[in-house]
Amino acid sequence: MKLKNELGIIAQNYTELQSLHILQESRERYPLLKASPESTARAIFQAAEITILNLVDLTKRASTDIKFGMINSAMVKMSWALGFHKLLSCISTFPHKLPNVFEEDSVQSTLCIHKSPAFSEYINTLKEFDRNVLHQIEIGNLQIESCLANHSLDIPELRLLHLTRICNHEATLWERNLGAVSISTQIPSYEVFIAADDIRRAVYDIVLKGDTFFTQFRGLHQVPEILGEEVNDHIEAAIRSIRSNRLPQAVELLSLANLLCEGIFAALSPMVDNLVTSDYHQIRENLGLTSGSHSVSLRYHMFKELYEQLWKALSIQITDFPNQEERENALKEAIHQVNRTRFHDSRSWVVYLLLNECLKLRTFIFQWRDTHIHLPRNELGGNSVRSLTGSPDAIVKAQQMKDSAWHKDSMKTLAEVRGISKQLEDTPLSTYFKSASSLDSQILIATGKITQSRFKQVQERTGIFAERCPFSPPPPRKV
């Protein structure tokens, strides 16, 4: 029996919360070769479909707000919408950066965002939004010229107009970028290729009552899951290529993986920028005993298992490791040798490119970890606020996970040779922000007090939160 509160379902696990089982079905419904140009194109357009469906939801709700004169509320929806537009603008550039090479007669199909069911719905929703705003202008409730000429972002009417025009231009960018993407396989239809019905089902599988940003919270986790599966397949293929001494292929596979990682990172910004404490608290209980650290695709496969196997495979390629004691020195010398000979030896050049791609992946992972700490800071606060899964202090736990990953980093030797391995601590700004005299520390304390008072069951581990978190780490992904 599913647990519910006044808003709706309380998720039992991370898979249910993010509808990962449906996203998996969407990939299996139209099987494609893993880490292929076709699978990459599908991941991009599936991520686009999720993003546009969220834009439909936000624009429709903003339109309703406008109809009833709720400018403040509509402005918040449009701020969220801008975040999704920018995410989609980022994703839409991927086809233009892909290293795919087509023979002229091999192009079999062209993917076009105009054939997306979500896109058609978005146009209709946008037109309704425009009609409602224009009506407010016609009846004198919104003075458009005076607002634009005389006001700044300190009034909601100007913010609404300003956000709207930025969103509209962003929409033309991603629409153009995704307007004609060629793939070298015949597909029955756009909807079938991206499994549009499954994507819609995943987005609306769990919907809460009321005016919440639960759908957006889920969408900004679903996009990274879609892209993350494709990234992992590319990293696995790169590992196999390195082991079989097909290093140029590995370079291309890793460059593709790193490109898609940009979309995973871009999905953080809309949440960091828009998900404020009260909005998160409104949906927190419905998240159940879950955590972002339960993402098998990201935390376990990408950030740990495949990352470590990738570096081990490349390390073996560039040095024989005489024995464990001499391993680090031998590896450092091998990397230095590659650096010295990269312009004179073709193999050294390819290895050098591989090392660069490894560093890009490493940078993404640590940048993602750093940026993700915004979320417990913004939504939970400090002063020993427990996480949903029972960690005594959510911010400290996130920081510990990041620090542990840093100290155990398998690519640390590469970073040392490149001169980027030092993790500075107790820097002037970080020291100041931790001090009692900083505003930041007071905001954290105040946020923590609010969270603790609102969620006594979480803090005291009673009710549904008295249960032990059912999540257990998955079997390792071995290549």
Side-chain angles (χ1 to χ4, degrees), residues 152-269:
S152 186
L153 296 175
D154 57 338
I155 68 165
E157 291 82 0
L158 188 280
R159 283 184 64 86
L160 177 71
L161 295 173
H162 187 61
L163 288 166
T164 298
R165 62 186 174 190
I166 298 174
C167 286
N168 290 342
H169 183 62
E170 289 290 334
T172 66
L173 303 183
W174 56 254
E175 177 191 31
R176 183 178 66 244
N177 288 339
L178 297 175
V181 177
S182 299
I183 56 174
S184 58
T185 187
Q186 192 68 43
I187 62 172
S189 69
Y190 181 94
E191 294 95 323
V192 171
F193 181 71
I194 71 162
D197 289 343
D198 289 329
I199 297 298
R200 174 176 289 273
R201 190 159 54 94
V203 170
Y204 295 119
D205 181 40
I206 305 176
V207 177
L208 300 185
K209 298 175 184 177
D211 192 24
T212 78
F213 296 103
F214 185 70
T215 296
Q216 285 65 55
F217 179 88
R218 296 176 74 242
L220 293 169
H221 285 79
Q222 290 170 336
V223 167
E225 293 288 344
I226 285 282
L227 297 177
E229 289 289 347
E230 192 66 18
V231 168
N232 289 341
D233 288 342
H234 277 76
I235 296 175
E236 180 170 325
I239 293 169
R240 296 185 189 280
S241 293
I242 291 170
R243 288 175 180 171
S244 60
N245 201 31
R246 293 180 291 119
L247 302 188
Q249 290 90 328
V251 172
E252 184 166 293
L253 287 161
L254 281 182
S255 70
L256 267 166
N258 283 321
L259 175 62
L260 296 176
C261 283
E262 294 176 15
I264 297 174
F265 186 77
L268 279 173
S269 290

Side-chain angles (χ1 to χ4, degrees), residues 16 56 60 86 119 143 147 182 209 309 372 411 420 449 456:
E16 180 183 66
V56 169
K60 188 177 296 184
K86 287 186 176 296
F119 181 83
Q143 303 291 331
C147 187
S182 299
K209 298 175 184 177
Q309 292 174 81
H372 193 267
M411 294 191 192
I420 52 174
K449 286 181 178 178
K456 293 186 184 300

Side-chain angles (χ1 to χ4, degrees), residues 204-422:
Y204 295 119
D205 181 40
I206 305 176
V207 177
L208 300 185
K209 298 175 184 177
D211 192 24
T212 78
F213 296 103
F214 185 70
T215 296
Q216 285 65 55
F217 179 88
R218 296 176 74 242
L220 293 169
H221 285 79
Q222 290 170 336
V223 167
E225 293 288 344
I226 285 282
L227 297 177
E229 289 289 347
E230 192 66 18
V231 168
N232 289 341
D233 288 342
H234 277 76
I235 296 175
E236 180 170 325
I239 293 169
R240 296 185 189 280
S241 293
I242 291 170
R243 288 175 180 171
S244 60
N245 201 31
R246 293 180 291 119
L247 302 188
Q249 290 90 328
V251 172
E252 184 166 293
L253 287 161
L254 281 182
S255 70
L256 267 166
N258 283 321
L259 175 62
L260 296 176
C261 283
E262 294 176 15
I264 297 174
F265 186 77
L268 279 173
S269 290
M271 273 195 294
V272 170
D273 295 343
N274 295 286
L275 187 59
V276 297
T277 306
S278 60
D279 288 334
Y280 175 77
H281 285 183
Q282 191 178 9
I283 66 173
R284 191 186 187 206
E285 187 176 63
N286 297 90
L287 308 183
L289 292 166
T290 68
S291 165
S293 64
H294 294 171
S295 171
V296 172
S297 175
L298 298 185
R299 181 190 175 187
Y300 290 92
H301 291 172
M302 188 189 304
F303 291 1
K304 188 177 188 306
E305 294 151 6
L306 293 174
Y307 180 81
E308 292 172 354
Q309 292 174 81
L310 170 65
W311 182 244
K312 182 178 179 180
L314 186 53
S315 298
I316 291 172
Q317 271 289 338
I318 62 178
T319 182
D320 294 330
F321 292 158
N323 55 58
Q324 189 62 32
E325 291 182 1
E326 299 178 13
R327 175 175 177 168
E328 290 304 310
N329 289 334
L331 188 53
K332 287 181 180 179
E333 177 52 35
I335 297 172
H336 279 301
Q337 180 65 13
V338 166
N339 291 342
R340 287 191 293 266
T341 61
R342 66 187 188 277
F343 296 133
H344 313 293
D345 177 76
S346 59
R347 177 180 167 81
S348 292
W349 176 245
V350 175
V351 172
Y352 177 76
L353 294 178
L354 269 175
L355 294 173
N356 288 347
E357 294 301 329
C358 286
L359 280 179
K360 290 177 186 176
L361 180 62
R362 177 183 183 272
T363 300
F364 155 71
I365 290 173
F366 283 107
Q367 188 180 22
W368 186 95
R369 289 184 182 276
D370 280 332
T371 304
H372 193 267
I373 292 177
H374 276 296
L375 300 181
R377 277 172 48 86
N378 295 351
E379 325 312 347
L380 303 178
N383 202 21
S384 300
V385 176
R386 283 186 176 272
S387 72
L388 290 170
T389 56
S391 298
D393 190 307
I395 294 178
V396 170
K397 179 64 175 178
Q399 187 66 48
Q400 287 174 342
M401 290 174 65
K402 185 188 81 97
D403 291 343
S404 176
W406 183 274
H407 292 302
K408 296 177 181 178
D409 180 22
S410 57
M411 294 191 192
K412 187 179 292 186
T413 302
L414 172 60
E416 287 177 358
V417 173
R418 294 289 182 91
I420 52 174
S421 65
K422 292 182 180 180

